[in-house]
Amino acid sequence: MASDSDEDYDDLDFDNASDGEEDIDEDILGALEEDLAAAAAAEGTEAEEDTDSDTSDGGSDDDDADEEDVHPHKDLERVLTQTLQEAALPSKPPSPVNQSPTALDSSGPPQENRPPSPAQLRKTRILSGIRWPRSFTVEAICAIPHPCATHALASSLCMTHLITGSDDGYIRDYDTFAAVNGKVFLTAPQRQHCGVIEGIMKAGQIRCWWENAIPTMNPDNTVAEAPLYPVYSLAMHSDALWCLAGSDQGHISLFTVRHSPGRLCHVINGHRGPVSALALQHDEKGFFSAGWDGEAIHWDLNTGSLARRFSAHGAQLAAIAVRPLNANPIPSQWGTIQPGSEFTVPMRGPRDDQATKQEDDAKSDTSYDPLFDEPDADGDGDGPKYNPSGNASGHHSHSSGQNLGRGAIAPKGAPPILDPTTYTTFSPDLLMTAHVDGQVILWDRRVQTPGKGVGRLWMSEKTPPWCMSACWSADGSQIYVGRRNGTVEIYDVRQTGRAASGTPKIWKTLRNPLSSGVVSCVAAFPDGRHLACASTDNIRLWNVAEAGEPDVNGKMKSGVQFKIIPGHHGGFVSQMLVDPAARFLVSASSNRGWHGDYTKTVFVHEIKHLW
């Protein structure tokens, strides 16, 4: 009973409350109508009242009371009217006739200039205050022994983190500065392992290491023992947040480095064989991979999906690189290579007897390879259509008159040689791929049409069809290509504006001694004038800008035009790294899965600036 009476009282209270609220609502609506009518009547005199109140302090108290009564309701009226109009009328797109795009843009909020990120500040600080010297001297100061061949290297922008990828399936992270500044030296067995018999050499300082493995599940939902995959290529984020590792089975693994090192985040599958090279985009939001299956693939790191394939003639890829932006180049007080200088400065090659001897060496038994030296029955001989002198010709020759002969036989399915008409349509956003058969191909990344925006660089028929390494210069104006006959061909990719000289051509050729062996790796210095060239016997430092050039008196320089970089000896060099400030050079030894001898040591060299 008590509960029923309580419910009856609650219902009565609710009914009474609703009736009272209805009465209050009617009173409020009536008052609002009266206020709106008064506001409409006073609308005509509002401007005068506002002017009088602003210009004079006089006025009756009744006027002030009226203003206090009118203005709050007038604001309420405006708000209600605007709300009703927005709710009743559907939104219409602006008319292009009545409203211009400029007016539309001006109505939007102004764009704010965001301050540079901490990563951008660090990158700027690394390169601040740098002045390039006239020359360098490079000495090995640290040796890092490995149990097997080291196929790949990668480092952060400041060289604090240095990772190595080896044939045993392990990725090792080293502290470069702790090693070169520390007091830990190699032991006698380590010196014997590294081939450093004399002198004192510092040892590497390892941070951590992890396995390049992909975990799998057993049928009973237990974790199976994952096999280790040899690491054939590496790439690292500039701040060492993550790294990419390409394996011999074609997959690419994404690992964390700085925080929780070695944690596998994602696995990317796309190649049908070993991933021979990796290259990051400039914004580090994507990367490019090159494989033995002859495919170059562009990947999107935001989604982990394939963005584009670059397919040529199917030859194994040895190198891939994106052309440097060179947005803020650091000028050298010793001058830079100007566009067109390759056609105005006469290049005097070796004497006729030396040239004949080198050509014979290129065709000797030691350089013969049955895999590449047999001509392709389906290919056609390609020769350049223009020479540096500006005259149309069927041969490519230096300005001194040295004849380079006909072009090499074109592989079946390879893109055509770049011609001036096609090259003028290329954008600066270029991708370079180097193939084992010696072909170097340029891709315009902005062209998505198959068969368009691609062309290969001319190669002489006397050049052995073999290439293990190629790279861009620091300013993106030259391409350095290492050859099997101990030479480095330098292509200049800048257009000169001449109709007959508008395509990349061999600007000059750097020739190592005949006993040096094949060129297994090349690395450009950040000053844009020097090049590190690794052969079987040694690593050499070339001054590309001055090599083979006459002096101020017009005479050719005599003597050796390169410097020896001590360290590696008696094996192939798989990769070399030079930091952006030209302080350290790191080199590793391996045959990268191809035929050749190698050592089991990673050397860290100190670069000294000579003024």
Side-chain angles (χ1 to χ4, degrees), residues 354-590:
Q354 294 179 353
T356 305
K357 185 176 181 180
Q358 291 172 347
E359 291 175 3
D360 292 341
D361 177 72
K363 293 294 183 180
S364 62
D365 295 336
T366 58
S367 63
Y368 176 79
D369 192 335
L371 180 62
F372 301 120
D373 289 343
E374 294 295 336
D376 188 358
D378 297 332
D380 298 328
D382 285 328
K385 308 249 187 224
Y386 309 95
N387 57 23
S389 61
N391 299 323
S393 173
H395 302 280
H396 184 91
S397 60
H398 288 86
S399 55
S400 62
Q402 182 184 0
N403 191 358
L404 294 180
R406 297 177 63 251
I409 297 176
K412 185 178 181 179
I417 293 180
L418 279 178
D419 58 271
T421 304
T422 304
Y423 192 60
T424 53
T425 62
F426 275 35
S427 68
D429 193 3
L430 297 178
L431 177 70
M432 182 268 296
T433 57
H435 300 255
V436 176
D437 61 355
Q439 300 295 331
V440 179
I441 299 177
L442 293 182
W443 306 79
D444 188 351
R445 292 173 50 197
R446 302 183 184 181
V447 178
Q448 301 293 332
T449 306
K452 302 293 184 181
V454 58
R456 59 188 178 93
L457 303 183
W458 181 86
M459 186 175 66
S460 172
E461 65 175 354
K462 297 183 180 298
T463 302
W466 191 91
C467 174
M468 281 186 66
S469 180
C471 68
W472 291 93
S473 62
D475 56 359
S477 58
Q478 284 93 28
I479 296 178
Y480 307 128
V481 183
R483 299 296 185 183
R484 181 158 55 94
N485 58 354
T487 63
V488 178
E489 294 179 345
I490 304 176
Y491 293 84
D492 196 300
V493 300
R494 294 169 295 184
Q495 300 183 33
T496 61
R498 303 180 185 179
S501 304
T503 56
K505 289 182 176 61
I506 299 179
W507 169 43
K508 65 173 65 174
T509 301
L510 306 179
R511 299 183 182 275
N512 293 327
L514 300 179
S515 60
S516 62
V518 302
V519 177
S520 58
C521 186
V522 291
F525 272 58
D527 67 336
R529 295 169 53 88
H530 289 78
L531 171 72
C533 169
S535 300
T536 306
D537 58 348
N538 285 306
I539 301 177
R540 292 172 174 81
L541 178 65
W542 285 87
N543 190 330
V544 178
E546 298 180 3
E549 299 288 348
D551 56 13
V552 292
N553 298 324
K555 297 181 179 180
M556 298 299 298
K557 296 181 180 180
S558 60
V560 179
Q561 300 188 19
F562 55 82
K563 298 180 181 180
I564 297 294
I565 301 177
H568 285 287
H569 181 76
F572 282 7
V573 174
S574 57
Q575 192 169 357
M576 293 187 292
L577 296 178
V578 182
D579 70 300
R583 296 171 298 176
F584 300 104
L585 182 146
V586 185
S587 58
S589 180
S590 166

Side-chain angles (χ1 to χ4, degrees), residues 211-223:
E211 300 174 347
N212 183 34
I214 301 177
T216 58
M217 301 297 294
N218 291 323
D220 56 353
N221 294 330
T222 59
V223 180

Side-chain angles (χ1 to χ4, degrees), residues 90-147:
S91 59
K92 296 181 179 181
S95 174
V97 179
N98 300 330
Q99 202 166 4
S100 62
T102 307
L104 291 175
D105 296 338
S106 61
S107 61
Q111 296 181 355
E112 298 181 358
N113 294 327
R114 295 183 177 180
S117 63
Q120 293 174 344
L121 293 176
R122 286 193 297 271
K123 294 177 183 178
T124 305
R125 190 172 183 83
I126 290 175
L127 301 177
S128 62
I130 295 180
R131 295 173 57 247
W132 298 125
R134 183 177 184 85
S135 182
F136 301 97
T137 179
V138 187
E139 298 178 358
I141 60 175
C142 178
I144 306 174
H146 280 65

Side-chain angles (χ1 to χ4, degrees), residues 19-102:
D19 295 339
E21 289 179 358
E22 291 179 358
D23 296 338
I24 294 174
D25 293 341
E26 293 178 358
D27 296 338
I28 293 176
L29 292 176
L32 286 176
E33 291 178 357
E34 294 178 359
D35 293 337
L36 292 176
E43 188 175 5
T45 59
E46 180 184 2
E48 296 178 1
E49 292 176 358
D50 293 341
T51 306
D52 296 339
S53 61
D54 294 337
T55 55
S56 63
D57 295 332
S60 61
D61 296 338
D62 296 337
D63 295 337
D64 296 338
D66 293 339
E67 291 178 0
E68 293 176 359
D69 294 340
V70 170
H71 287 291
H73 298 297
K74 193 170 183 60
D75 295 338
L76 179 61
E77 177 192 5
R78 292 174 181 174
V79 173
L80 291 175
T81 305
Q82 183 179 0
T83 304
L84 291 174
Q85 290 177 351
E86 292 177 354
L89 298 178
S91 59
K92 296 181 179 181
S95 174
V97 179
N98 300 330
Q99 202 166 4
S100 62
T102 307

Side-chain angles (χ1 to χ4, degrees), residues 219-274:
D220 56 353
N221 294 330
T222 59
V223 180
E225 183 179 356
L228 299 182
Y229 299 100
V231 182
Y232 272 58
S233 55
L234 286 172
M236 182 186 283
H237 183 256
S238 58
D239 287 335
L241 297 180
W242 45 263
C243 73
L244 297 165
S247 70
D248 64 335
Q249 299 299 318
H251 60 261
I252 304 171
S253 302
L254 176 64
F255 295 100
T256 56
V257 178
R258 174 175 291 183
H259 310 289
S260 300
R263 182 170 62 89
L264 180 62
C265 299
H266 187 67
V267 178
I268 301 174
N269 295 295
H271 289 282
R272 301 182 302 274

